Amino acid sequence: MYRLKRIKIARSIFSLNDIEHGILRKNKFKIGLGYVTNPFYSGFIKTLAVSKLDYRIHFALRATNLNPDPFDYFNCDEIESQLATVTTDFIKFETEFDHESKKMIVSQFLFTYLRDFGGIQSIKKMLKTIFKKDFKGYSLKFKPYNRIEKKHPIS
């Protein structure tokens, strides 16, 4: 479904993968943790690609697959607050803490796109901001995909 080219933009036909990985992820391979650029995207997709990657788009795309989205659509006037909401909701829902062994256990999804999120330190910083708590000395552990994630893959 994600590979099927069926979305027409300016006389070109794109797949959902073209849009997500080519345009929104700035020409990245679907695999490779976000570190590997795909040189095989067309010049048009490269032209349409965002100039700066915004990791929050992953949460917006993910939210539509995991649970009923709190928004019927994303509105240009409210996009910043909407992206903040889906990011916070996902992180709070998917994150567990083992305070005894000082571990933050997060979704495997964050590992899948590790570079897009800025790496381990940026993920820790995001958790600190969302939970408003200093996790100094905590390690990060990625849990395997749960049933919901396996049932509703993003791409």
Side-chain angles (χ1 to χ4, degrees), residues 18-107:
D18 291 338
I19 294 168
E20 179 182 359
H21 303 291
I23 298 170
L24 298 175
R25 291 189 62 228
K26 203 172 175 182
N27 306 308
K28 297 296 181 195
F29 270 113
K30 187 175 164 180
I31 58 172
L33 309 180
Y35 288 96
V36 183
T37 300
N38 184 344
F40 302 109
Y41 277 114
S42 72
F44 188 55
I45 287 179
K46 289 176 182 177
T47 301
L48 293 175
V50 296
S51 57
K52 184 179 180 222
L53 190 130
D54 185 340
Y55 68 84
R56 299 174 304 169
I57 196 68
H58 288 293
F59 299 111
L61 294 170
R62 197 77 176 152
T64 61
N65 289 321
L66 286 178
N67 56 355
D69 196 30
F71 312 109
D72 291 333
Y73 58 91
F74 286 86
N75 182 327
C76 289
D77 296 331
E78 301 170 24
I79 193 74
E80 290 300 319
S81 66
Q82 289 176 321
L83 288 172
T85 298
V86 295
T87 299
T88 300
D89 289 351
F90 181 92
I91 293 296
K92 284 185 175 181
F93 180 75
E94 287 289 327
T95 304
E96 300 168 13
F97 297 95
D98 182 347
H99 296 292
E100 235 176 71
S101 61
K102 290 192 156 198
K103 286 185 183 167
M104 299 178 285
I105 305 148
V106 298
S107 173

